[in-house]
Amino acid sequence: MEKLSEKDKGLIRDSWESLGKNKVPHGIVMFTRLFELDPALLTLFSYSTNCGVAPECLSSPQFLEHVTKVMFVIDAAVSHLDDLHSLEDFLLNLGRKHQAVGVKTQSFTMTMRLTVVGESLLYMLQSSLGPAYTTPLRQAWLNMYSIVVSAMTRGWAKNGEHKSN
Ligand code: HEM
């Protein structure tokens, strides 16, 4: 597993300081953007049949629970910047679970351009941090994101889905 520079860690910790105190609203910003970018992702949640459009779903308890889980994973990554490898097994399993519910690696992994999950995370950071969202800060978050996602992607591979699927 790759390592982050001390500079990246500082930028990530400082920016998460305020965002992490208000996880769910920031998670809603991220997922609102995600469903705008790829509305089909909504249907992967079995409980999406209980709601209609994305804004309605994102105010339902089950969706809010998933948003909360997502933000806790980000929080765990930020708290373990010095030993991200300790999350390896957890992230691998998380990748497997997402593969099992029909999420494709393309939603997570970065190849030529940013993908929908990465794009939505950056959108949330940009809208919350305003002028504090600088190029080095964006890059620091992208570096952490790519470490987290590469561990999750190994979960897809273990389940038999080829990385490029
Ligand atoms: C394309 C975006 C995503 C989709 C479509 C998606 C979909 C799902 C679905 C359908 C479930 C099972 C139902 C549930 O527990 O609510 C789930 C569980 C979960 N998701 Fe996601 N998810 C996405 C992104 C993420 C991200 C970015 C994270 C955090 C990095 C995350 C963390 C979790 C966690 C912690 C669980 C619970 C796993 C367990 O049961 O142990 N998800 N996700």
Side-chain angles (χ1 to χ4, degrees):
M1 202 181 243
E2 301 147 69
K3 285 202 168 134
L4 290 165
S5 68
E6 290 307 313
K7 188 172 166 247
D8 281 358
K9 289 181 200 169
L11 286 164
I12 294 169
R13 285 191 188 111
D14 288 352
S15 54
W16 191 248
E17 176 90 25
S18 60
L19 298 191
K21 291 196 180 99
N22 241 333
K23 293 186 191 61
V24 176
H26 290 112
I28 294 173
V29 172
M30 177 176 164
F31 270 74
T32 302
R33 182 69 180 149
L34 180 69
F35 293 139
E36 256 168 36
L37 290 171
D38 189 351
L41 290 177
L42 200 61
T43 61
L44 297 179
F45 294 86
S46 58
Y47 39 81
S48 66
T49 47
N50 301 334
C51 51
V53 287
E56 189 196 338
C57 292
L58 278 168
S59 57
S60 78
Q62 287 158 311
F63 273 92
L64 288 178
E65 208 173 298
H66 181 262
V67 165
T68 307
K69 289 177 197 167
V70 173
M71 296 313 271
F72 272 101
V73 176
I74 299 176
D75 193 60
V78 177
S79 315
H80 289 81
L81 291 178
D82 289 325
D83 59 340
L84 276 173
H85 63 92
S86 64
L87 299 179
E88 172 96 25
D89 287 350
F90 169 78
L91 293 172
L92 190 142
N93 255 316
L94 191 58
R96 290 172 103 149
K97 283 178 183 164
H98 285 84
Q99 196 268 344
V101 294
V103 181
K104 299 285 178 201
T105 44
Q106 293 111 305
S107 298
F108 277 85
T109 51
M110 279 174 282
T111 46
M112 295 293 282
R113 49 181 279 279
L114 210 53
T115 59
V116 288
V117 176
E119 164 78 37
S120 308
L121 172 68
L122 292 181
Y123 177 85
M124 177 274 282
L125 291 168
Q126 183 173 19
S127 41
S128 314
L129 297 168
Y133 181 83
T134 58
T135 307
L137 178 111
R138 176 181 186 275
Q139 195 53 52
W141 274 92
L142 277 179
N143 293 344
M144 184 186 90
Y145 178 80
S146 87
I147 294 174
V148 167
V149 163
S150 73
M152 284 180 72
T153 306
R154 285 193 277 280
W156 264 269
K158 282 227 164 165
N159 265 5
E161 189 200 78
H162 192 270
K163 264 190 168 187
S164 62
N165 273 356

